[in-house]
Amino acid sequence: MSSRVRRGRATLVGLALLLPACHTAAPPAPAPPGPVSGGLPPAPPAALGFDSARLAAIVAYLEAETDSGAFPGAVVAVGRHGRLALLAAVGHYGRADPRPVGPETVYDIASLTKVVGLTTACMLLVDQGRIALDAPVRRYVPAFQGGAKDRVTIRELLTHSAGLAADLPLYQATSTRAAALALVDTAPLVHPPGQVYEYSDLSAIVLMQAVERITGEPLDRFLAERVFGPLGMRATRYQPPAAWRDRIAPTEDDTVFRHRMLRGEVHDESAARLGGVSGNAGLFSTAPDLARFAALLLNGGAWDTLELIHSETVAQFVERQGLPPGSTRALGWDTPADSGYSSAGAKLSRRAFGHTGYTGTSLWLDPERDLFVILLTNRVHPTRANTAILHVRPRVADLVVDALTHPEL
């Protein structure tokens, strides 16, 4: 298929850009069913301090990466001061779906679930005094105990320093959600608590159980009622209904566990074994929805008349913890590396915080510039062997900062 067709169309909000004639777009497909986010209001890039030509270069870069096979399609959103400077979609849905991606395309956001969902739930519970960051985990999850596990704290779960293994083959070793949770809770530590950083899906699964025991609700229902509903994030949820299928970008051709092309069901195997609702993965969302979420955090936990989280709690969670010493992790969130590779690139401020998702997603926010950068792709389609996203994420972040020629505005 020629690059003209594969590229699809670039959909732009808040950016005056006409693509050259050689970028002839495929005819837009009818909008599939599903909710549409209210999004953020667009603004002229110059009013937000951006150079329009440099923002256009970000779209051109993503188109080139789509053509080179980094991912079938992508959506990027860039905003400041609660408004959108750029919302662009490039490429197509997947190998067997040449329809052009649009701003409302739904993506499996993978480990962005840890911050958009789980960490936000923890913020709410800290606000309410219902969970203590330095309390032992066993206070909230009685099955998590024995030996050094009795000393593991909620803070250590949030900073991936609890000493738990990175993951377990839950989909192979168990056949039910209850059995999977029991295996996680009884798994021995592989490091002493608080001494070693090891990014762990198990930590998120244990923390999810704490949230559910405290609230008395399943995580998906709690988030829908307390976060996504109030924020108007109508396209963000676990287990999207079948009616959304045509709006969801496919992920991997699973040849190991489910033996089918995944579309509309969580890519992560552990979250799948937990029924699609987990603290480590499982959320689906869109760039406009995540832009609302980013604007809320940059505004100190409030948006319009909604005061969701106290600003002091937001500040506490996005600050680097130094646990263990030298780690870049905040509470749930990550921060830019001091040297070497970082998905945040090299130009966001040291106050920035963000996270990535295995399927090819990322979200970075910079309070110093009141700036956010959202990138959604399905880079695992049709196979996770494609790792080009590793160089795309930091390049996009750097191009965004380069486009901010008047940060004082």
Side-chain angles (χ1 to χ4, degrees):
M1 187 179 290
S2 73
S3 62
R4 294 183 184 182
V5 176
R6 282 176 27 240
R7 179 174 287 116
R9 58 174 177 167
T11 304
L12 301 162
V13 175
L15 173 59
L17 174 64
L18 296 176
L19 296 178
C22 64
H23 290 207
T24 303
V36 176
S37 168
L40 295 178
L48 300 179
F50 289 102
D51 179 272
S52 293
R54 294 189 182 189
L55 284 181
I58 299 169
V59 181
Y61 171 70
L62 289 173
E63 287 180 327
E65 289 296 322
T66 300
D67 285 345
S68 71
F71 31 71
V75 180
V76 61
V78 177
R80 294 186 79 204
H81 311 324
R83 291 180 290 173
L84 275 174
L86 171 66
L87 176 60
V90 302
H92 58 283
Y93 274 78
R95 180 175 58 185
D97 189 345
R99 292 176 304 139
V101 168
E104 295 288 346
T105 296
V106 177
Y107 284 87
D108 177 339
I109 64 172
S111 283
L112 287 187
T113 300
K114 292 182 175 75
V115 288
V116 176
L118 182 64
T119 299
T120 306
C122 290
M123 288 184 184
L124 290 171
L125 295 178
V126 167
D127 262 358
Q128 298 166 3
R130 299 171 72 186
I131 194 167
L133 292 172
D134 295 310
V137 174
R138 60 183 169 81
R139 176 186 299 177
Y140 309 105
V141 186
F144 187 84
Q145 60 178 309
K149 291 170 72 175
D150 290 348
R151 295 189 283 110
V152 174
T153 66
I154 296 295
R155 188 184 301 272
E156 288 165 343
L157 291 180
L158 283 163
T159 54
H160 298 277
S161 62
L164 285 163
D167 203 356
L168 288 172
L170 301 182
Y171 73 99
Q172 293 175 321
T174 65
S175 59
T176 66
R177 178 181 175 89
L181 293 177
L183 182 58
V184 171
D185 291 341
T186 58
L189 300 183
V190 296
H191 307 291
Q195 295 188 21
V196 176
Y197 165 76
E198 180 157 3
Y199 183 81
S200 173
D201 281 349
L202 303 188
S203 287
I205 293 171
V206 173
L207 189 55
M208 170 194 68
Q209 294 177 77
V211 170
E212 292 189 334
R213 283 180 172 272
I214 292 167
T215 63
E217 294 185 84
L219 181 63
D220 56 341
R221 188 167 68 198
F222 178 77
L223 290 171
E225 293 173 351
R226 296 297 309 278
V227 181
F228 307 143
L231 258 179
M233 296 170 65
R234 294 188 290 272
T236 302
R237 60 169 293 165
Y238 290 94
Q239 301 172 312
W244 290 21
R245 179 180 170 83
D246 286 344
R247 270 188 52 195
I248 301 173
T251 52
E252 191 170 25
D253 186 0
D254 183 353
T255 61
V256 176
F257 179 24
R258 287 155 285 186
H259 304 285
R260 57 179 174 268
M261 181 66 72
L262 302 179
R263 186 171 197 157
E265 57 183 314
V266 61
H267 176 264
D268 180 84
E269 291 89 353
S270 293
R273 174 53 73 219
L274 292 170
V277 178
S278 183
N280 71 302
L283 279 177
F284 289 74
S285 191
T286 64
D289 267 20
L290 294 176
R292 291 179 70 87
F293 177 76
L296 173 98
L297 291 184
L298 288 172
N299 197 45
W303 184 252
D304 289 336
T305 59
L306 174 68
E307 294 184 6
L308 191 69
I309 308 165
H310 290 122
S311 59
E312 296 83 2
T313 302
V314 174
Q316 179 182 21
F317 269 73
V318 303
E319 182 180 2
R320 186 182 292 192
Q321 298 293 295
L323 182 67
S327 170
T328 61
R329 305 300 299 202
L331 294 174
W333 295 90
D334 200 4
T335 65
D338 295 324
S339 61
Y341 177 85
S342 174
S343 67
K347 300 182 179 183
L348 291 176
S349 79
R350 296 303 91 188
R351 292 181 58 206
F353 59 97
H355 212 279
T356 63
Y358 189 80
T359 50
T361 60
S362 58
L363 167 62
W364 279 97
L365 305 90
D366 190 341
E368 192 167 292
R369 299 180 173 96
D370 195 14
L371 167 72
F372 65 79
V373 184
I374 297 164
L375 179 63
L376 302 181
T377 82
N378 54 338
R379 70 94 188 169
V380 295
H381 180 80
T383 170
R384 69 183 67 190
N386 183 354
T387 60
I389 192 68
L390 295 177
H391 72 255
V392 173
R393 287 183 180 123
R395 180 61 177 156
V396 168
D398 285 347
L399 287 172
V400 169
V401 177
D402 288 343
L404 186 60
T405 53
H406 293 283
E408 72 280 1
L409 294 179

